[in-house]
Amino acid sequence: MSTEYRNNHYVPVWYQNRFLLSGQHNNELHYLNLAPATVRDSQGRAHTMNAVRRLGPKHCFFEKNLYTTRFGSEESTKIEQTFFGSIDSKGRKATEYFSSFAHPSVDINAFNDMMIYMSTQKLRTPKGLHWLSSQAKTTDRNVVLDFMTQIQQIHCAIWTERVWQIADATDSDTKLIISDHPVAVYNRRCGPRSMWCRGYEDPNIALHGTHTIFPLSLDKVLLLTNLSWV
């Protein structure tokens, strides 16, 4: 079996590329690792790697065989190759559309593709997969990955009924960044010690005051807010 689809980026390389500085020649991101690895030199002395490193997108936000399914001695990369292949292709175009959105443009296909991409993106990260594992009450990776493909549109109905806003940081010296879980949610009543934020949990998107935040590029961010809150 080909090894091409083994390094699974849970934050796609094409998406990371949208956050490279214009005119940058080395095409590297400043990558913060909250738990840098410890290595030993030839004399056995331990050294902790730098927490912030400059890395190209293909070296960021990936795990080997994160989406590989196993059945006995057989392995399959179809989820990475086929399932995410289609979603990322359409999501890339939708992200570009909303990043340069201007009224009165209307593209229903871009709207639908963006929701499916964002919904799946929220599930495909290590944090999202741990949440799915808790919901499915299993640690079987095959079951968790199958569960992800079945409920990939779980967030779409609520997001459809939200107010969509695009904020622009073009005139600001401070730009947008991304994380290992780029479809973020925020609810000001849910602090770090809240039951909604423990472990791998997020505030439920159905709560009145929950906002979904998705950076589109260095300068644009998509904000989805429940109509009841607006």
Side-chain angles (χ1 to χ4, degrees), residues 15-162:
Y15 176 73
Q16 296 182 54
N17 284 333
R18 301 183 63 83
F19 295 84
L20 294 171
L21 293 173
S22 178
Q24 186 173 329
H25 298 294
N26 53 24
N27 292 329
E28 291 178 334
L29 298 169
H30 288 81
Y31 186 82
L32 170 63
N33 189 340
L34 296 178
T38 298
V39 297
R40 294 187 178 276
D41 60 22
S42 59
Q43 298 181 2
R45 293 174 297 191
H47 301 274
T48 301
M49 301 285 287
N50 291 333
V52 178
R53 301 172 64 194
R54 295 178 62 151
L55 297 173
K58 73 175 183 178
H59 300 295
C60 301
F61 306 119
F62 80 93
E63 285 189 20
K64 194 173 183 64
N65 291 319
L66 183 62
Y67 306 128
T68 300
T69 54
R70 297 177 174 85
F71 303 92
S73 60
E74 298 295 322
E75 296 184 336
S76 173
T77 59
K78 284 187 177 180
I79 289 180
E80 171 72 8
Q81 184 174 354
T82 306
F83 179 72
F84 285 127
S86 175
I87 290 173
D88 284 343
S89 177
K90 294 178 180 179
R92 183 175 187 172
K93 295 177 182 177
T95 301
E96 180 61 36
Y97 170 78
F98 281 101
S99 184
S100 57
F101 178 82
H103 287 290
S105 176
V106 176
D107 188 331
I108 189 62
N109 291 326
F111 178 76
N112 291 330
D113 291 342
M114 176 59 86
M115 282 194 299
I116 293 175
Y117 171 72
M118 287 176 57
S119 185
T120 309
Q121 175 64 77
K122 196 173 187 302
L123 299 174
R124 73 194 283 184
T125 65
K127 177 177 179 176
L129 292 175
H130 276 95
W131 179 82
L132 283 172
S133 178
S134 68
Q135 299 303 301
K137 294 181 172 55
T138 180
T139 58
D140 187 311
R141 178 53 61 89
N142 290 351
V143 174
V144 172
L145 291 173
D146 181 63
F147 189 37
M148 176 186 64
T149 65
Q150 292 183 42
I151 67 167
Q152 66 178 112
Q153 300 185 43
I154 186 173
H155 306 101
C156 295
I158 292 178
W159 284 344
T160 299
E161 299 176 353
R162 285 189 168 193

Side-chain angles (χ1 to χ4, degrees), residues 144-211:
V144 172
L145 291 173
D146 181 63
F147 189 37
M148 176 186 64
T149 65
Q150 292 183 42
I151 67 167
Q152 66 178 112
Q153 300 185 43
I154 186 173
H155 306 101
C156 295
I158 292 178
W159 284 344
T160 299
E161 299 176 353
R162 285 189 168 193
V163 174
W164 289 44
Q165 178 185 15
I166 299 173
D168 189 342
T170 301
D171 295 330
S172 172
D173 292 333
T174 302
K175 302 302 181 181
L176 296 159
I177 62 173
I178 54 173
S179 73
D180 58 354
H181 193 67
V183 180
V185 295
Y186 169 74
N187 189 309
R188 69 179 187 179
R189 296 298 298 272
C190 301
R193 297 181 181 180
S194 165
M195 61 174 286
W196 297 101
C197 300
R198 296 173 186 168
Y200 298 100
E201 295 289 333
D202 271 333
N204 194 301
I205 66 169
L207 296 176
H208 290 299
T210 296
H211 311 267

